[in-house]
Amino acid sequence: MKYVIVGAVAGGASSAARLRRMDEKAEIVIFEKGEYISYANCGLPYYIGNIIKQRDKLFVQTAASFNQRFNIDVRVKTEVISIDAVNKTITARDQVSNKEYTESYDKLVLSPGADPVRPPLPGINLEGIFTLRNVADTDYIKKYVDQHKSGKAVVVGGGFIGLEMAENLFHLGLDVSIIEMGNQILAPIDFPIAAIVQQHIRSKGVDLRLNTSVAGFEKNNDRLKVRLNTEETIDADIVILSIGVRPDTRLAVQAGLKLGNAKGIFVNEYLQTSDPNIYAVGDAIEFANPITGQSMNTYLAGPANKQGRICANNIVFGNNEKYHGAINTAIVKVFDMTVATAGTSSKNLGASKIPHMLSTTHSSSHATYYPGAQQMHIQIAFSPEDGRLLSAQIAGYDGVDKRMEMLSSVIKRNSTIYELMEMEHAYAPPFSSAKDPVNMAGFVAENILQKRMTPFYWNQINEIESNGILIDVRSVKENLAGTIPNSINIPIDELRSKLNTIPKDKTIYLFCEVGLRGYLSQRILNQNGFDKVYNLSGGYSSWKHCNAESKIASETILEK
């Protein structure tokens, strides 16, 4: 058998190595249009920022070592330009000699990746404007940054890569602005979690501009001038475009392969394209979202590597291993914070008309009596019918990764919030609490699901009708330090003695700092004849972050 693989980074390299492990006698040829194979895409921003000091650390394998270890014919700087699916051949161009030739295959694997979005804005091709997708991009950026270490950087796009680049450029000493067209950073997460991270970014002195887009670029002596849709301009020494990526489907289209609704290469559950002899993996493919059932792309290294393994197994042994899709579990370091997500956000669940309930908790990363505990903000979405966990989002500092992996495993297995309640974690004071933040998220979700606690949310404060009363149940000292406008203060420890001052014919809206005392107060009122009582999900902490960011967004829109 002869296997040909197009693309030698995550999915392609993984497919090739697995094919060799499963079939020692096969002929395997892998084509890569770039100079490097099997490199750590996710490490590129950290090499630019000098966190990763040695460039060689980015390379898992070289073409020579891959060939030596796996006996695979690796052809770098060679671009596959067409596929003849009828005759089962590809045409390749050697980019050094510019010669074209054909290569036959029995089975073909496409792993062409995705292309960065580079919109046709005026001046988009000026010197100093970069996208970051591969090692060559990284080398250009690093060389340029080394010449402008005390300059100004503008990062266009507030996604995962954009935030990583902003942080690393900031640590190099550059003054950084982030320009984001949407009303929040990190589109896969919901606003209440994004707001917390945005406040953290602003606290570092980074200029974060939301609801703002770039209209074009100009050259001004040796500097760039970034023109915004607000009619403002920002002088810059370097611009990083991190607007997004799109699946590279050029070969698939040329070969007549089917594309899906998300404009990616359509694959079945075995990662097989519409041609039975051609498989595809990685950023270029699309598949059904396990939660919404709708077609989606995912641009993550983890799924691509797993797809490569499954694809190779199906090629060698016949289609006997299904790929069950990705729930897009992702994590990013944003200065001192860590942000993680898995599943489908509330806004996307709503857009897909999937009923769900939300719970927000703010727990300590480990036992509060052990030094160094920091707050961890968790939002989960779950089905009102059976408690199935649909998404989880965390913003925090220490231990975010392990909590997200716990939550992600529950989402992946279609399990419920009830499992969160019983999840057994490794506990000692430096690492967790007897009731882990994941347990707490489950407890609160169960209270909501069982109607023991009825939540309302930060963006519903202004909708409280004239017949409602907003009560702050925190201490007098906390209340004086800051509270929600038009609220009255009745500390929880005084609540029972002041029941007669609260009219039973009105709707009661409670809040505390993070939600716990509000819940306890709700239980007191419910069991003393108060029927219409609501507790602010996430408490004053959530409202404060969201309200602050909402005001900034409103001011930006008004300025336009």
Side-chain angles (χ1 to χ4, degrees), residues 264-450:
I265 302 171
F266 171 83
V267 293
N268 63 17
E269 58 194 354
Y270 303 107
L271 299 169
Q272 191 175 38
T273 70
S274 53
D275 184 311
N277 294 308
I278 303 176
Y279 291 72
V281 297
D283 294 354
I285 72 169
E286 68 172 68
F287 45 83
N289 183 300
I291 295 169
T292 67
Q294 298 172 353
S295 291
M296 62 173 280
N297 313 106
T298 188
Y299 306 112
L300 299 168
N305 277 280
K306 297 174 184 69
Q307 292 161 15
R309 180 186 177 92
I310 293 170
C311 168
N313 289 345
N314 287 329
I315 288 173
V316 174
F317 303 117
N319 291 343
N320 63 357
E321 186 174 348
K322 295 180 180 180
Y323 178 63
H324 298 290
I327 59 170
N328 281 355
T329 304
I331 192 166
V332 60
K333 179 181 178 295
V334 184
F335 294 93
D336 305 322
M337 291 198 83
T338 304
V339 191
T341 179
T344 303
S345 65
S346 174
K347 59 189 172 186
N348 288 329
L349 290 170
S352 299
K353 295 181 170 52
I354 296 176
H356 64 283
M357 306 177 94
L358 286 176
S359 169
T360 301
T361 51
H362 307 280
S363 304
S364 293
S365 55
H366 59 250
T368 54
Y369 57 82
Y370 186 88
Q374 293 177 291
Q375 201 168 62
M376 181 179 294
H377 315 271
I378 301 179
Q379 177 188 284
I380 60 173
F382 50 95
S383 166
E385 182 180 341
D386 58 5
R388 177 190 171 192
L389 190 61
L390 303 173
S391 76
Q393 300 170 13
I394 308 178
Y397 298 87
D398 182 47
V400 170
D401 53 345
K402 71 176 180 180
R403 272 51 177 245
M404 183 49 69
E405 285 157 5
M406 295 160 74
L407 291 160
S408 175
S409 69
V410 173
I411 298 170
K412 186 73 174 175
R413 291 182 289 103
N414 296 325
S415 192
T416 70
I417 57 100
Y418 298 106
E419 182 178 346
L420 305 184
M421 299 164 57
E422 298 183 11
M423 188 166 283
E424 190 170 336
H425 59 285
Y427 163 59
F431 306 106
S432 183
S433 298
K435 294 177 182 177
D436 188 78
V438 171
N439 299 139
M440 294 303 298
F443 295 150
V444 173
E446 189 222 18
N447 283 334
I448 294 172
L449 203 58
Q450 300 298 331

